[in-house]
Amino acid sequence: MGAKYFGAAVKRREDPRYLRGEGRFVDDIKLAGMLHAAFVRSPHAHARITAIRTQAAGALPGVAHVYTFADLERWMKPLPLFGAIPPGLSARVAVTMKQLGQLALCRDEARYVGEIVAMVLGASRAVAEDGAELVEVDYEPLPVLADVVAAAQPDAPVLYPEWGDNIALSFKTGFGDAEAGLREAAVRVRERFTIPRYVGMPIETRGVVAQWDPRDGALTTWNGTQVVHFVQQGLVAALGLPPHKIRVIAPDVGGGFGTKANGYAEDLLIPAAAIASRRPVKWTEDRREHMMAAAHARAQVHDIEIGARRDGTMLAVRDRIWVDLGAYNSWGIVLPYNTVAHLLGPHRVPSLDVECRGVITTKTPNAPYRGAGRPETVFAMDRIVDCLARELGMDPADLRRRNYLTEADMPYELNIPYRDGNPLVYDSGDFRAGLEAALTAVDYPALRAEQARLREQGIHRGIGISGYVEGTAIGPYEGATVRLDPSGHAVVATGACCQGQGHETSFAQIAADALGIPLEWITVVGGDTAAIPFGVGTFASRSAVNAGSSIHEASGRVKDKIVAAAAALLEASPGDIEVSEGTVSVRGAPGSATPLATVIRAAVPTFAKPGVSDLDFEATVYHHQPTVTYTSAVHVAVVDVDTGTGSVALRRYLVAHDCGKVINPVIVEGQIHGGVAQGVGGGLLEEMVYDEQAQLLTGTFMDYLVPTAMELPDIETVHLEYPSPRNPLGVKGVGEGGAISPPAAIANAVEDALAPFGARVTRTPLGPSVVLGLLGKS
Amino acid sequence: MKPAPFEYAAPRTLDEAVGALASGGDAKVLAGGQSLVPMLALRLARPTLLVDINRLPGLDGIREASGMLEIGALVRQRALERWAASRSPLFADVLQHVAHPPIRNRGTVVGNVVHADPASELPALLLCLEGVVVARGPRGERMIPADRFYRAPLTTALGPDELATAVRFTLPPAGAGWGFAEVSRRHGDFALVGAVAVVTRGGDGTLDRVRLAFFGAAGTPVRGTAGEQALAGQAPTAARIGEAARAAAAALSPDGDIHATATYRRHVAATLAERTLTAALGRCGAAR
Amino acid sequence: MTHPIRVTVNGQEYARAVEPRQTLADFLRDDLDLTGTHVGCEHGVCGACTILLGGEPVRSCLMLAVQADAQSITTIEGVSPADGGLHPIQEAFWAKHGLQCGYCTPGIVMSVCAFLRERPQPTREEIREMLAGHLCRCTGYHFIVEAIEAAAQALAPPPPRTP
């Protein structure tokens, strides 16, 4: 196989339409006779709903329908749940778990501000909102759960009485004897760290359009989702239709980040409304809705302790973790176990003891967002490591040098399973080399020297390091169908969905190499359940590995079919057939060059004879990916802290990372930049704030502060390459990694800058008021 | 987030505009719309009538005369920014902190002054420069001095049937120095807290006039009069400036919110007062 | 009650009747089918809806359609050449991977059109300051800054020939 395209910085094929404003996002879709939906959402964090009166709303000119639970009851099955515990995991870790599926419309109880109580359909969104204001709801406020640690206490009010408590999930795991390790340690440091609620916040909000065709008995729904097949499965369960009668299409999607990879109420309500009203229905989420109704994320507390020898050799880590799940445990084992599995990261630690609780609160449900538990766990670990360094009087870089695993340690088994139930074995990488690469690229000794000089001038510069190991590309599969059209052009259909990652280009690069046809001949179709019947979706940095492997293998099989047909047509041995840039030839026979279209045409039967081969230039492969493959990175942040105002300026940010073999290096860098930016937001600016009544105070972009180009420096990247042994392409996932380390690196940098004041950073975001608080002035 | 329904009028004379405001019902003036339209979208503002003044003639002038700068109601923030580029580094610095260019292309100076967001820069500048709002109502025109203009957050002395047709700033005299500083979490955001200072020195080097105003530190912009009085007539040492800054800030009663505590705002107000007074001193021309 | 407006968009005049509360952004998208202008927040912060009004960038979500009467507006569709090609600014973004999901992109391109006219040789700092009025969640801005630098070079007049 010629690798002409794999590894090349090919310009993205999807870009011209985006640049010309000719993308098709959900809100761009217009259907004749379309009605627009607006929702009545609970203003209470917890309340019994005793009555809903819709007459006034229904009578408003322009309002077509008002629906409550009773009106749509036949479709109100519980929404999909994720995160069931795989057998391999439950065999080794005793997990207590309770999950209750959310109903798309509240029946008689609302459990978070923003939960949907009623739906209004109108001639326009504006009229539908007018109607929504006229719906009268009688609420009886009930006790709220605003704080995750308090909600876990035995005396807390219980949200689900049948559960007996608010602990939706709990488990303990570990290896070695952490108690003994801590006792033996010459130095022990313990601290409680809080990672706040912060979220994906794509610039395109959510949206759903649905159309029911009574003639075909079929539903088509356009949805800005990352998981078209999950959405389809949810609709199959609720609507009672077979899958092929429900088509879910994700058109162009303006950013996902995990926020759009859920089983949302609106995914069901808009199709149900289309069926009930016999009209196409559109819902475009507005930003205020998005803040309260799109999934939240992060929100963990870690009480973590580490013990080490006097020379810095780590002996044991113990961590007590609370994960704030919000009002529904929709994601099961995923976030809590991701958190645990990634805690030790690149460090060699002989014993571990973790206890994790997923706790229900009366807030917007928590779901995976870029990193999905890893940013939180890395924050706890890298912070306690820096605290340990300070206690030992060691430079944090040296402490990490002493404890990071190297290539010689690979494959390295942690004695706990991974979330998929398989053994947790780091398959490749050299984390110590990554650390050295980062420190060299940033010229760490020069940074320290400059810091000392600046300190004498009263300028408080800080340097922070954070490193992670990330299990990427969780399976179990993402299939692909590759088929040629009569001209020899190819369609690659996959269950992967794109929200800006460049699938139309990178997947075409893989296929072009394996097929031997030009890149421009390939159309990638993702995010459409009609294009491929089985799929999982794009999240967890999984598509390059899972879909990429299937595309590679399926393309190879189609190439074999081309070769067989060509061999028959050109009367040569298959081993002598070459396919390159859409031309077929016999090796060593100049003049044998034949266009691929000619080969295909020769396979078409005529009245006179059958074709030279089967008229089949199609292959479907569902590559099985049993477990993850490991990337790693080290981030270094350099900050200046103004101790007069508490402002933190991020001066430099550097990433040294391994993501295995790279399909398109520019796309990879873009993913790292974007992840870093979101991580920096988490470190300095972003938080979803609730008050003691579990009222969401963060309502607009004035409150939720997404970083701009002024808050970010140029992002420096150093690439290392340790190919994955776990898939035919040697690739690893890279979508999330950039977001994992920034809060830790920045927190470490700020604490480093304020070392002369003895400040201890225990939470983010590090806004000016928080920073001055560290100095006792806020 | 679509606004609640409202009627719309685009009068062509000032009398028509005032008449529309006074016509009964809840009418609001629409000029740049950069503050009003978001409130309409969030349904925090629900006027029955929007009076669009963009067609009124004669309100787009920037006039400088006799030490006064008069800015008409339709002067966009960006237009004043362009004027200031060669005429007033103080105005240029302040305006560059107001949101971002697309907002400034449409938002008006007078609109921002009259919107009275406590964390806005221009109201504090108006107060510091002892400016005046020119208001036109059914009973004619009146001048409202800045120190009587701001009542509470988003609330001014303008009556519901009055239209602000211009604002007038008293320009700092020749040789005056200025300082401006704010802390915001991102570039272009509303300030957590900010300060603006203008000082002049007398022939003997002592401080002749000191004007200091804070924003983001209370429900309205406030003068730091304790600090002004501590410095007037004094020789400006670093220690005196620091004390004056702290005295000015000590008189503040800021609120806390999700972005900053009250203690933070008071503490940083003092820091910024010190920095702006020091900068103003540094920019003072040679003593007369 | 609707109000009649005559507005020129991308050189073409349209006569329509609009409800006062309809924003210019919604008018462009829904009434004129110009869906290249995107809506991200409806309160003027994200910048996705930015268009040129009389050549100056403004937030179309903060203007009412009724205020566009007698005005001249340029949207992303007006920047893109009619033959399906790309303007040099668009080319530069393509070359430098200055976009990922494409949702914030039209608004940024509109701002850049005006910015480079006023500042043909911007520094990176000036670019970042202009960009601060546009939120992007995908790119981290790094390649957007490089795209704008490349666009500035592409638009710069050629250096004079030395004799």
Side-chain angles (χ1 to χ4, degrees), chain A residues 288-378:
Chain A
R288 181 171 45 186
E289 274 183 293
H290 184 86
M291 299 265 177
M292 66 176 79
H296 288 186
R298 310 282 189 256
Q300 295 189 4
V301 177
H302 287 243
D303 180 344
I304 185 168
E305 185 171 9
I306 191 168
R309 296 207 181 96
R310 179 57 55 188
D311 68 0
T313 307
M314 293 173 187
L315 294 176
V317 169
R318 182 157 63 199
D319 196 3
R320 300 281 170 271
I321 306 167
W322 292 259
V323 180
D324 181 345
L325 299 179
Y328 293 91
N329 178 17
S330 309
W331 279 87
I333 195 66
V334 173
L335 290 167
Y337 201 84
N338 268 3
T339 303
V340 165
H342 291 90
L343 177 63
L344 296 181
H347 306 88
R348 184 198 322 273
V349 182
S351 64
L352 172 71
D353 173 11
V354 283
E355 195 180 297
C356 185
R357 285 191 189 86
V359 186
I360 293 293
T361 57
T362 52
K363 301 184 212 165
T364 305
N366 194 334
Y369 154 47
R370 206 168 197 169
R374 302 170 187 80
E376 300 92 300
T377 208
V378 163

Side-chain angles (χ1 to χ4, degrees), chain B residues 195 212 214 224 226-228 230-231 238-252 266-278:
Chain B
L212 173 67
F214 295 106
E228 294 172 354
L231 285 173
R240 281 211 183 98
I241 288 180
E243 274 166 38
R246 281 184 288 283
L252 296 168
R266 192 181 301 109
H267 178 89
V268 176
T271 304
L272 296 182
E274 189 170 355
R275 289 185 186 178
T276 53
L277 287 166
T278 306

Side-chain angles (χ1 to χ4, degrees), chain A residues 314-556:
Chain A
M314 293 173 187
L315 294 176
V317 169
R318 182 157 63 199
D319 196 3
R320 300 281 170 271
I321 306 167
W322 292 259
V323 180
D324 181 345
L325 299 179
Y328 293 91
N329 178 17
S330 309
W331 279 87
I333 195 66
V334 173
L335 290 167
Y337 201 84
N338 268 3
T339 303
V340 165
H342 291 90
L343 177 63
L344 296 181
H347 306 88
R348 184 198 322 273
V349 182
S351 64
L352 172 71
D353 173 11
V354 283
E355 195 180 297
C356 185
R357 285 191 189 86
V359 186
I360 293 293
T361 57
T362 52
K363 301 184 212 165
T364 305
N366 194 334
Y369 154 47
R370 206 168 197 169
R374 302 170 187 80
E376 300 92 300
T377 208
V378 163
F379 187 83
M381 186 66 180
D382 268 318
R383 285 294 307 121
I384 203 69
V385 166
D386 263 35
C387 294
L388 175 65
R390 217 168 301 287
E391 191 65 30
L392 289 167
M394 276 179 86
D395 187 298
D398 289 333
L399 179 57
R400 287 173 172 84
R401 278 186 173 109
R402 178 165 285 283
N403 290 281
Y404 268 31
L405 298 161
T406 71
E407 193 167 25
D409 295 305
M410 301 298 134
Y412 182 80
E413 176 151 13
L414 263 72
N415 289 305
I416 51 171
Y418 192 70
R419 172 161 80 75
D420 52 28
N422 292 295
L424 201 173
V425 181
Y426 296 159
D427 54 11
S428 55
D430 188 328
F431 316 138
R432 172 82 191 262
L435 175 65
E436 297 299 351
L439 296 175
T440 303
V442 90
D443 197 349
Y444 190 73
L447 282 181
R448 283 288 178 211
E450 193 179 7
Q451 176 186 45
R453 269 194 307 277
L454 291 170
R455 207 163 253 161
E456 281 162 28
Q457 298 165 34
I459 296 173
H460 302 282
R461 174 155 297 180
I463 305 150
I465 303 167
S466 168
Y468 68 80
V469 179
E470 181 193 1
T472 68
I474 198 159
Y477 69 91
E478 194 71 78
T481 297
V482 177
R483 67 176 180 279
L484 301 185
D485 73 10
S487 72
H489 287 56
V491 175
V492 174
T494 173
C497 307
C498 194
Q499 310 89 40
Q501 299 92 326
H503 290 176
E504 288 170 45
T505 305
S506 54
F507 291 171
Q509 288 175 258
I510 295 171
D513 279 343
L515 286 167
I517 66 177
L519 191 71
E520 305 76 56
W521 285 20
I522 300 172
T523 299
V524 176
V525 175
D528 185 344
T529 57
I532 187 165
F534 300 94
V536 179
T538 294
F539 51 91
S541 311
R542 65 190 302 276
S543 293
V545 169
N546 285 276
S549 297
S550 295
I551 292 167
H552 174 72
E553 286 178 29
S555 299

Side-chain angles (χ1 to χ4, degrees), chain A residues 687-700:
Chain A
E687 183 174 3
M688 281 293 187
V689 182
Y690 282 86
D691 68 12
E692 336 64 56
Q693 286 309 307
Q695 285 289 318
L696 182 60
L697 300 180
T698 317
T700 68

